[in-house]
Amino acid sequence: MESVPWMLGLDGNVRATNLIGAGTKATYINSTVHSETWGALSVEGGSGLQLTAINSSVGNTGTYGYGTYAIGDATVRVLGSQFDVGSYATICAGPAASIHYGDSTREAVAELNSSLGLGLTKAELADIPARITVVDSGHFGFVFFGTGTLKLDGGTVITSAQTTFLNKGQQTSITVDGSDGAQLNPGNGIILQMIESDDPGPVNVDGKMMNVGVYTEPTGDPAKDASFDPTSVHTADGAATFTSIALAGDFYNGMRAGKNMVLTFEDSTVQGVISATEAKHRVDTIDSSNFYELGQVTNTVKPAVNNGVIVQLNSGSTWTVTGTSYLTRLTLAADAAVGAASGKSVTMTVDGTQTAIEAGGAYSGAIVLTVG
């Protein structure tokens, strides 16, 4: 490819690193890697690929671009590094990509020195300071175009102008462990957004595949899929687990086809709206001339159709509801709680019947939480 497919929400014609092949490894330590646009550290395709950045500065000098790209069964690790990216910290394109952002602890670096065969001496290892990972993105934090796992831990700080996790209709396993200070700071107040894929794909033109497709916003309400259960957890759902962290932000499932948003909170607090929603792009059609509109949606909370919202508040967790939220299942541990901000109250109905929210309770159906 001579230029990035615009359907990724990017422009540009250079990748500073492009990893391919079988079992290929690329590791950057105490390094600086920047591209103007497109991507700094990329994985094009192959098998068993491993891309690692330790105590490095990675990013884009232009308006659009990503720090890392993960496709196939690639493993991407970012430890103790500074990411200043135009569009995304990482694009996950699946189908079995594994991504980890964390600290460059001595134990973690020593393990990678061994497993990756880096050849660092004891003295060189001792000279690598332990650092946290800090991401500053001009657009989104992470975007999922394919199935993948993402782990954030240590003191990792993700600050993005827009949504932290943008899931374009994919099966995900996102885990965020805040026990060592990890933070999520979305500029638009949305931590997780699920939407249908807005990638129009290539088009066959005179026997050649060309990136000239056009995304057109669907009209009308989605038709109910009688075979899909929005109250149950499915393997292909978009799942995220948050442990020992204080979260301020919203979670929206704007899928039209059958895919639930499954959220688990362990020893965590969350303040925001968690809801099924109607997600609409700001414009009706998107092509290469306005590619930057991809992923840009507004949300109108609505009852779930094929887009269930399943919330599990495990031990020590509290959800402070800030606005009307439509769920399909809510489960609370014996010491978990759902409430509203000081001076306000939250009311719940299940299938139209007002129902008390009780510690240790489990509720399923058309659940509506309102704040008054």
Side-chain angles (χ1 to χ4, degrees):
M1 291 185 290
E2 296 180 356
S3 61
V4 63
W6 62 265
M7 295 85 86
L8 292 177
L10 303 172
D11 69 356
N13 58 7
V14 64
R15 286 170 286 183
T17 290
N18 191 24
L19 202 59
I20 60 174
T24 311
K25 304 171 187 177
T27 303
Y28 292 87
I29 305 172
N30 298 339
S31 301
T32 298
V33 184
H34 285 77
S35 63
E36 181 180 5
T37 48
W38 195 345
L41 304 178
S42 182
V43 174
E44 178 64 42
S47 61
L49 307 180
Q50 300 194 60
L51 179 61
T52 306
I54 300 171
N55 286 22
S56 292
S57 173
V58 177
N60 318 114
T61 60
T63 303
Y64 304 100
Y66 59 74
T68 64
Y69 190 89
I71 193 171
D73 64 347
T75 298
V76 173
R77 303 179 185 90
V78 177
L79 304 180
S81 294
Q82 173 74 49
F83 272 41
D84 293 290
V85 293
S87 303
Y88 319 103
T90 293
I91 295 177
C92 180
S98 175
I99 305 153
H100 176 210
Y101 278 59
D103 298 348
S104 58
T105 64
R106 296 197 182 280
E107 294 77 11
V109 176
E111 191 281 326
L112 290 177
N113 185 47
S114 175
S115 64
L116 296 175
L118 301 180
L120 297 172
T121 65
K122 288 184 179 180
E124 288 170 331
L125 285 171
D127 284 340
I128 299 175
R131 295 176 179 168
I132 65 170
T133 291
V134 177
V135 171
D136 288 296
S137 173
H139 289 83
F140 301 96
F142 302 84
V143 63
F144 290 84
F145 283 93
T147 301
T149 63
L150 169 64
K151 179 172 68 173
L152 305 180
D153 58 18
T156 299
V157 178
I158 309 296
T159 301
S160 54
Q162 299 176 43
T163 303
T164 305
F165 306 112
L166 177 60
N167 179 354
K168 297 195 175 187
Q170 304 301 320
Q171 173 186 331
T172 63
S173 176
I174 299 169
T175 60
V176 181
D177 182 352
S179 58
D180 288 323
Q183 300 177 34
L184 306 178
N185 303 312
N188 64 354
I190 301 174
I191 294 174
L192 174 59
Q193 173 83 62
M194 293 180 63
I195 59 172
E196 298 285 341
S197 174
D198 51 9
D199 180 353
V203 176
N204 191 314
V205 179
D206 297 329
K208 296 182 179 181
M209 300 307 292
M210 306 291 289
N211 290 331
V212 294
V214 177
Y215 171 79
T216 302
E217 188 78 3
T219 59
D221 296 329
K224 173 64 177 175
D225 181 353
S227 67
F228 181 76
D229 185 357
T231 68
S232 296
V233 176
H234 310 275
T235 301
D237 287 339
T241 299
F242 302 89
T243 302
S244 301
I245 191 170
L247 300 167
D250 303 327
F251 299 76
Y252 294 121
N253 185 1
M255 292 293 296
R256 294 173 63 89
K259 193 172 294 288
N260 293 335
M261 178 172 67
V262 181
L263 304 175
T264 303
F265 301 94
E266 183 79 42
D267 185 34
S268 294
T269 61
V270 55
Q271 181 175 344
V273 171
I274 303 175
S275 184
T277 181
E278 178 185 58
K280 291 288 187 181
H281 287 79
R282 301 187 301 189
V283 296
D284 291 334
T285 59
I286 304 173
D287 58 22
S288 60
S289 68
N290 61 345
F291 67 88
Y292 45 82
E293 295 288 351
L294 292 167
Q296 307 271 10
V297 298
T298 58
N299 291 282
T300 303
V301 296
K302 289 186 174 183
V305 181
N306 307 309
N307 53 332
V309 177
I310 297 172
V311 176
Q312 182 160 330
L313 297 172
N314 286 343
S315 180
S317 295
T318 301
W319 174 20
T320 300
V321 185
T322 60
T324 301
S325 298
Y326 293 91
L327 312 181
T328 51
R329 183 195 289 182
L330 173 63
T331 305
L332 290 79
D335 60 346
V338 174
S342 178
K344 298 185 178 182
S345 62
V346 61
T347 301
M348 180 175 74
T349 61
V350 180
D351 295 329
T353 301
Q354 186 165 331
T355 305
I357 306 172
E358 298 178 346
Y363 312 92
S364 181
I367 301 171
V368 186
L369 299 173
T370 55
V371 176

